[in-house]
Amino acid sequence: MNVKKQIQSFLSSRMHGERSRDIILYWLPELITATILISLPPLIDSWIVSQLGSNTTYGALAMGTNFLHTLIKLAEAIPVASIAIIGRHNGAGEYEQCGQDLGDTFWTTFIFGCSQFLIIFLSAKYIYQWLGVPAKMIPIGAEFLRIKAFGVFLIFTILCFVGFMRALKNTRVPMLINMLGIAVFIVFDYMLVLGHFGFPKLGLKGSAIATIVQYSVMNVVALCYILFNPDYKKYFTTIFFAVFSWKRALHLINLSWPIVIDKSTITFSYVWLSKMIASMGKYAITSYDVVKNLERFAILPVAAAAQVVTFLVSNRLGAGDPEGAVANIKKMFMLSFATVIPSLFILSINAPYFVSFFDKKNKFGNFAASVLPIITFLVIFDFTQLVLAGALRGAGDVRTVMWGRLFSCACFFIPVSYVISQLPQAGAGHGFSTQTTGMLSAYFMVLPPISNELKFILIYGSFYVTTGLMGIIFVRRIKSRKWLTHKV
């Protein structure tokens, strides 16, 4: 398709789907929610922990949080699948069925949450050992991870309640609940980590406890809203706690497992990325955490768009309007592009300023600031796959997303990043490793060493090239239009 036809296609989308004003009203609360849920907690937590003045403790937080992010993404899988189901029932006016779907979603999510809690609690030490962090980080990180495990369980249940609200096109209340949650987290994190207002100075343990308090409050508020909101009475002829059907649960799991694989593929890629970078030393680990958190903040408009496009597509297809679903995808893509480019530009030109907040001892700031602009530019490759993956999930075409991500990561990212990690690097003083380890290290030691900055950029950049490959796969699927007739 030439450029002229492409422009005409975008312009024609204005006649279908949601009005642009309505899309923005859906998107803004999700943007605020994404900021609160995805970006602010790790940014604020990293800043507070960095005030302890220990790069070892900061590194333990960085690696642990990165691993936990994988589990949080797993927690999203069943609620995301339920959005496609509940959204269609809601669009078709089958309100009682929506309430039954919530019961099935809650109990299925509850079981998954319990299993994740046990896995983290029992294997915390071994997780840090596998990540290859310096020995001093392991006991600090393991204790943090064990306490944090209960907070992860609570995340599973709150995402179930929030997913139900989103499926009913309610993005405002999830936003408010998340605002309350982050406020509680900030207060308790500040008091418990640093020991203010009469509380003991618990260090990294305080961060884990603050998470438990945060999600406990959020669960209580969300549950009360769903049960006592008069507008939601039509969904519950029976309280959803008493509703569970193995047949519907298995259908939900069947729809969810591809999402589990596709989300865990992306988040495991971040864990793998941190493992590859960990071999470079603790200053590379802390730099990775700063760069990752800042670039996630910059790309929040796209993360919000991916959430919104899921329920917009599911509701349009439920109402028998495939052209409206396609139009909504185009509108969300244009909105994302127009809002995220300025944030990436601001982050790039002010890299030293933003990095300085997290480097209390001035040990790794120059390194992180030098690599951040290039990594930020590469984030552009992530645009297409995030929005289109959300659209395909809304249509119930979750297996395309799963296979596209699994293929890209398994066949490209993991082998390429591993090979790059084995390249010899020049020394950069204390805190950076100058040795390569692994099966290929002996072969690459004959090569001249590359700079620490270049090695870091090549490893990190291989991830975003991988997301570009995913985008190509999803574009081809969207153009085929087979996803429009996918059964949920």
Side-chain angles (χ1 to χ4, degrees):
M1 184 181 289
N2 58 39
V3 176
K4 183 178 179 180
K5 289 184 178 180
Q6 196 74 265
I7 294 174
Q8 290 175 342
S9 176
F10 272 105
L11 292 176
S12 66
S13 67
R14 297 177 60 186
M15 307 301 296
H16 302 280
E18 252 63 30
R19 294 182 302 170
S20 296
R21 177 181 177 275
D22 292 336
I23 284 180
I24 292 174
L25 290 177
Y26 292 138
W27 173 79
L28 278 175
E30 280 297 327
L31 177 60
I32 296 172
T33 300
T35 302
I36 293 169
L37 186 63
I38 298 173
S39 185
L40 279 184
L43 276 173
I44 295 173
D45 198 21
S46 294
W47 177 81
I48 291 174
V49 172
S50 70
Q51 303 309 299
L52 295 171
S54 170
N55 285 314
T56 298
T57 301
Y58 185 14
L61 170 72
M63 299 300 280
T65 301
N66 201 49
F67 178 80
L68 290 170
H69 183 66
T70 300
L71 301 183
I72 293 172
K73 286 298 179 182
L74 292 179
E76 292 178 354
I78 293 176
V80 167
S82 72
I83 289 175
I85 296 173
I86 297 171
R88 289 204 179 189
H89 287 151
N90 189 55
E94 300 169 351
Y95 302 126
E96 183 178 347
Q97 185 63 51
C98 294
Q100 294 178 358
D101 292 333
L102 175 59
D104 299 327
T105 304
F106 173 81
W107 288 113
T108 307
T109 303
F110 182 88
I111 294 171
F112 272 83
C114 289
S115 64
Q116 292 296 335
F117 166 75
L118 292 174
I119 291 171
I120 302 171
F121 189 84
L122 296 175
S123 60
K125 178 181 176 181
Y126 305 105
I127 291 170
Y128 272 89
Q129 289 176 342
W130 177 79
L131 289 170
V133 302
K136 290 183 178 180
M137 286 187 187
I138 295 175
I140 298 173
E143 185 177 33
F144 163 74
L145 212 53
R146 290 190 187 101
I147 300 173
K148 194 91 169 181
F150 187 69
V152 171
F153 167 73
L154 295 174
I155 292 173
F156 273 76
T157 54
I158 185 60
L159 288 176
C160 169
F161 299 142
V162 167
F164 177 74
M165 297 179 205
R166 285 174 174 157
L168 306 182
K169 294 186 176 182
N170 183 349
T171 60
R172 179 174 172 272
V173 173
M175 175 193 71
L176 295 175
I177 292 174
N178 280 291
M179 288 178 67
L180 172 64
I182 191 58
V184 170
F185 175 78
I186 292 172
V187 171
F188 279 88
D189 197 38
Y190 183 73
M191 293 189 302
L192 296 176
V193 172
L194 302 178
H196 290 301
F197 305 109
F199 285 85
K201 185 177 181 179
L202 299 178
L204 206 52
K205 291 188 294 184
S207 173
I209 295 172
T211 300
I212 295 173
V213 176
Q214 172 193 3
Y215 286 106
S216 296
V217 172
M218 291 173 66
N219 270 279
V220 170
V221 173
L223 182 59
C224 289
Y225 179 82
I226 290 173
L227 293 179
F228 300 113
N229 183 0
D231 294 334
Y232 282 9
K233 285 185 177 179
K234 62 184 178 182
Y235 297 107
F236 305 112
T237 55
T238 304
I239 189 169
F240 71 87
F241 285 119
V243 175
F244 184 75
S245 164
W246 279 110
K247 181 178 179 181
R248 292 195 302 266
L250 290 174
H251 175 61
L252 180 61
I253 292 172
N254 186 53
L255 192 62
S256 299
W257 72 261
I259 302 177
V260 170
I261 293 177
D262 95 66
K263 282 184 172 290
S264 61
T265 298
I266 287 290
T267 52
F268 177 77
S269 295
Y270 273 108
V271 174
W272 177 264
L273 183 59
S274 66
K275 178 177 173 62
M276 296 298 98
I277 289 175
S279 64
M280 296 178 63
K282 69 177 180 181
Y283 292 158
I285 292 173
T286 52
S287 296
Y288 166 69
D289 184 69
V290 173
V291 171
K292 177 195 64 175
N293 288 336
L294 290 176
E295 56 94 353
R296 281 182 182 173
F297 182 81
I299 205 172
L300 281 173
V302 180
Q307 290 286 351
V308 173
V309 78
T310 298
F311 68 74
L312 289 182
V313 167
S314 69
N315 276 269
R316 280 288 170 178
L317 293 180
D321 182 15
E323 291 304 317
V326 173
N328 284 337
I329 297 172
K330 294 177 180 179
K331 291 175 183 179
M332 292 309 307
F333 188 83
M334 288 188 289
L335 178 62
S336 300
F337 187 85
T339 52
V340 81
I341 291 296
S343 63
L344 291 175
F345 178 74
I346 293 171
L347 181 60
S348 296
I349 63 176
N350 294 286
Y353 172 76
F354 290 116
V355 169
S356 66
F357 286 99
F358 305 93
D359 186 18
K360 187 175 179 64
K361 289 187 173 182
N362 196 28
K363 295 289 187 178
F364 62 89
N366 291 336
F367 178 86
S370 67
V371 300
L372 180 58
I374 299 176
I375 298 299
T376 301
F377 172 77
L378 294 174
V379 172
I380 295 174
F381 287 111
D382 215 12
F383 279 16
T384 303
Q385 76 91 12
L386 282 171
V387 175
L388 296 186
L392 291 171
R393 289 193 196 103
D397 192 6
V398 293
R399 296 193 181 187
T400 295
V401 181
M402 176 194 73
W403 287 116
R405 287 181 164 178
L406 188 60
F407 172 81
S408 300
C409 290
C411 298
F412 181 83
F413 172 63
I414 289 179
V416 169
S417 60
Y418 178 76
V419 169
I420 295 172
S421 73
Q422 300 305 301
L423 295 175
Q425 69 189 70
H430 181 68
F432 282 97
S433 171
T434 59
Q435 297 181 352
T436 57
T437 58
M439 294 183 294
L440 301 179
S441 59
Y443 296 98
F444 288 131
M445 288 306 293
V446 299
L447 298 175
I450 61 175
S451 69
N452 296 290
E453 291 84 358
L454 179 59
K455 186 173 182 179
F456 186 97
I457 291 169
L458 290 175
I459 294 175
Y460 210 139
S462 64
F463 171 75
Y464 283 116
V465 174
T466 305
T467 62
L469 293 176
M470 296 174 195
I472 293 172
I473 294 171
F474 300 157
V475 166
R476 291 178 64 86
R477 179 64 172 178
I478 292 290
K479 285 186 175 181
S480 74
R481 300 181 73 85
K482 294 179 181 179
W483 61 281
L484 290 171
T485 57
H486 198 281
K487 293 183 179 180
V488 177

